[in-house]
Amino acid sequence: MDLRSGNFDSELSLHELLSGVSPERLTAILTLILGTPFRLVSTQGELVMGIALPFEGDVSRAPLSHDLETIAYIESPSAEPDKLSAAVILLELLLQSGARYFMAAKMHIEVVQSDYEALQRKHTLLQESEARYKILAAHLEERVEEQVKTIDAAQRQLYQAEKMASVGQLAAGVAHEINNPIGFIRSNLSTAQSYVQKLATMAGMMQSQGSAQLNAAWRDADLDFVLEDFAALLEESVSGADRVARIVADLKGFSNVDHAEEEIVNLNDNLRSVCNVAASQLQGRADLELELGELPPLRCLPGQLNQVLLNLLLNAAQAMTTPGKIRIRTAVDNAQISVTIADTGKGIPAEVLPRIFEPFYTTRDVGQGTGLGLTVSRDVIVAHGGHIEVESQLGAGTTFTIYLPVANADHPR
């Protein structure tokens, strides 16, 4: 019995209406009722049940109705009319019962199928919703990771900026305190030089016009040597005072690490200032060679770039196990400024090289470094639109190269 096709109120064939009844049992019951053989045929003459061959001679024939329409005939050669009528009544009852069964069954199937389709639609909607949530979750996870990286980078820069600001304030304070005394020392030395020059003039006059006793006393005191040496001492002291003044000027420039506004600078000037600041750290460890090419103006945050250059320079000095050499070279090519800082130190092992820019990674002893210097340096260079590369050979030295794009000096980046 196929109940899957058609609606519950669709027309049913005779075979469908009788499909729930055993043909053998119904044939036996009808034969018993009629008392003779019979044939049940459709209105189109198709045999449904009973004797296969048509009866010969006079045949009793009664119509079989369903829903007020004749759909079949029952035939018998000698059945009594009452028995034939009883057989018709029985068959019509069976047809009605079969129709109600089909109607109920098909209605049930239609309801179940409708519910199933509704569930399928809901399932499809849930799958689409789940897919959207998965995409949203993946996107949200990416956003969270990006935000975490941004916060980490900001924290690192904030930490390093605060540290460098403290160093800068200290350097600015020291520079200010040194600046005043070195000023009057330099002035006094210049005045002393003029005094010595006057004494030298007077000494010539005394030697040519003075008494023999005074000349003898002058020679005994070796005042010619004193005047000559005094002038040399003063000249050397003036040179030293000028040098201190340059260091103070470099300190004042370097102390401007917390300056948040961009400036147009010549990066070579920044490098010279950083080298002067780091001179005491390099002394006895490495000879410094500068090969500074002509550079275009660079719009940047000079305090942050000074910090990067100082980090790399001090790292190069600390890589020296024996006195060596640090070479700094600047150049410009393809609208990029390159700064190369190469040392002849101990080098970095190959297995360590990929990790040197990781936050808080350090090979120094506990308390000797935060592991943030190179991380912050890379972040600063990237923030300026550049990148940093490193090459190292164990036992031969390390080379860091900074690449910075040359932005339009007349407009902010």
Side-chain angles (χ1 to χ4, degrees), residues 2-283:
D2 186 5
L3 301 175
R4 293 173 296 180
S5 60
N7 298 325
F8 70 91
D9 57 349
S10 61
E11 291 185 1
L12 300 171
S13 67
L14 183 60
H15 286 287
E16 289 175 330
L17 291 171
L18 293 176
S19 60
V21 182
S22 170
E24 293 78 13
R25 295 184 64 185
L26 181 58
T27 300
I29 292 171
L30 289 174
T31 303
L32 185 62
I33 292 174
L34 294 172
T36 62
F38 72 95
R39 296 182 79 235
L40 181 63
V41 296
S42 67
T43 53
Q44 290 78 27
E46 180 188 4
L47 178 65
V48 178
M49 192 176 297
I51 301 301
L53 297 176
F55 297 117
E56 295 180 354
D58 294 335
V59 177
S60 298
R61 192 180 195 203
L64 191 64
S65 300
H66 177 66
D67 288 344
L68 304 178
E69 292 183 4
T70 300
I71 62 171
Y73 295 96
I74 183 168
E75 298 174 349
S76 175
S78 58
E80 296 177 2
D82 293 342
K83 294 181 179 179
L84 195 59
S85 178
V88 169
I89 292 171
L90 174 62
L91 286 172
E92 287 180 348
L93 288 174
L94 291 173
L95 294 178
Q96 291 176 3
S97 176
R100 285 197 294 272
Y101 170 78
F102 265 91
M103 182 179 292
K106 286 192 173 181
M107 184 178 293
H108 175 72
I109 290 174
E110 286 181 15
V111 171
V112 171
Q113 190 169 1
S114 175
D115 291 344
Y116 176 74
E117 291 174 353
L119 288 173
Q120 285 288 90
R121 288 194 295 273
K122 290 182 179 178
H123 179 65
T124 303
L125 292 175
L126 286 174
Q127 284 183 322
E128 292 175 355
S129 178
E130 182 183 4
R132 288 197 300 272
Y133 277 117
K134 284 183 178 178
I135 295 173
L136 182 61
H139 182 62
L140 186 60
E141 188 174 351
E142 291 177 0
R143 292 279 306 275
V144 170
E145 290 180 356
E146 291 176 359
Q147 290 299 320
V148 168
K149 289 180 181 177
T150 302
I151 292 172
D152 285 345
Q155 286 179 336
R156 290 196 303 270
Q157 292 195 12
L158 180 61
Y159 171 80
Q160 198 71 3
E162 289 180 350
K163 187 177 74 173
M164 294 305 296
S166 299
V167 173
Q169 289 175 356
L170 177 63
V174 172
H176 176 73
E177 293 301 324
I178 293 177
N179 201 40
N180 284 337
I182 202 64
F184 63 73
I185 289 172
R186 176 67 173 80
S187 177
N188 293 343
L189 289 173
S190 296
T191 303
Q193 281 182 315
S194 66
Y195 292 165
V196 170
Q197 191 172 6
K198 290 179 181 178
L199 287 175
T201 303
M202 290 299 299
M205 294 175 62
M206 287 176 57
Q207 289 175 347
S208 61
Q209 302 174 11
S211 64
Q213 186 177 2
L214 188 58
N215 287 333
W218 183 275
R219 286 192 299 272
D220 291 341
D222 200 8
L223 291 182
D224 287 333
F225 172 78
V226 170
L227 282 176
E228 182 181 355
D229 193 46
F230 198 11
L233 291 176
L234 287 174
E235 185 177 353
E236 187 178 3
S237 299
V238 168
S239 177
D242 290 341
R243 185 178 173 186
V244 173
R246 285 197 302 272
I247 293 173
V248 169
D250 291 336
L251 273 176
K252 289 179 67 178
F254 189 80
S255 65
N256 197 22
V257 293
D258 54 349
H259 201 287
E261 296 181 358
E262 292 182 340
E263 294 181 10
I264 298 175
V265 302
N266 185 322
L267 202 56
N268 286 339
D269 296 337
N270 294 56
L271 268 169
R272 294 188 186 95
S273 296
V274 169
C275 290
N276 288 334
V277 171
S280 61
Q281 298 291 323
L282 302 180
Q283 191 172 13

Side-chain angles (χ1 to χ4, degrees), residues 312-323:
L312 297 180
L313 191 55
L314 294 181
N315 280 351
Q318 290 165 354
M320 300 293 178
T321 53
T322 58

Side-chain angles (χ1 to χ4, degrees), residues 240-385:
D242 290 341
R243 185 178 173 186
V244 173
R246 285 197 302 272
I247 293 173
V248 169
D250 291 336
L251 273 176
K252 289 179 67 178
F254 189 80
S255 65
N256 197 22
V257 293
D258 54 349
H259 201 287
E261 296 181 358
E262 292 182 340
E263 294 181 10
I264 298 175
V265 302
N266 185 322
L267 202 56
N268 286 339
D269 296 337
N270 294 56
L271 268 169
R272 294 188 186 95
S273 296
V274 169
C275 290
N276 288 334
V277 171
S280 61
Q281 298 291 323
L282 302 180
Q283 191 172 13
R285 290 187 171 184
D287 294 330
L288 194 60
E289 290 186 0
L290 297 180
E291 187 179 342
L292 306 181
E294 185 175 352
L295 298 182
L298 178 66
R299 180 178 287 279
C300 64
L301 296 172
Q304 292 189 0
L305 287 186
N306 287 347
Q307 175 189 337
V308 173
L309 297 173
L310 182 64
N311 285 343
L312 297 180
L313 191 55
L314 294 181
N315 280 351
Q318 290 165 354
M320 300 293 178
T321 53
T322 58
K325 183 181 297 183
I326 298 176
R327 176 177 296 173
I328 300 177
R329 180 178 179 274
T330 60
V332 59
D333 187 24
N334 292 329
Q336 282 196 125
I337 292 176
S338 63
V339 180
T340 303
I341 300 178
D343 65 66
T344 57
K346 58 186 177 183
I348 303 173
E351 64 273 16
V352 172
L353 200 59
R355 302 191 60 190
I356 60 173
F357 292 107
E358 291 182 9
F360 304 106
Y361 179 79
T362 179
T363 57
R364 298 178 188 171
D365 296 335
V366 177
Q368 298 299 311
T370 62
L372 287 174
L374 288 178
T375 307
V376 172
S377 298
R378 181 196 56 188
D379 292 346
V380 168
I381 297 301
V382 171
H384 281 74

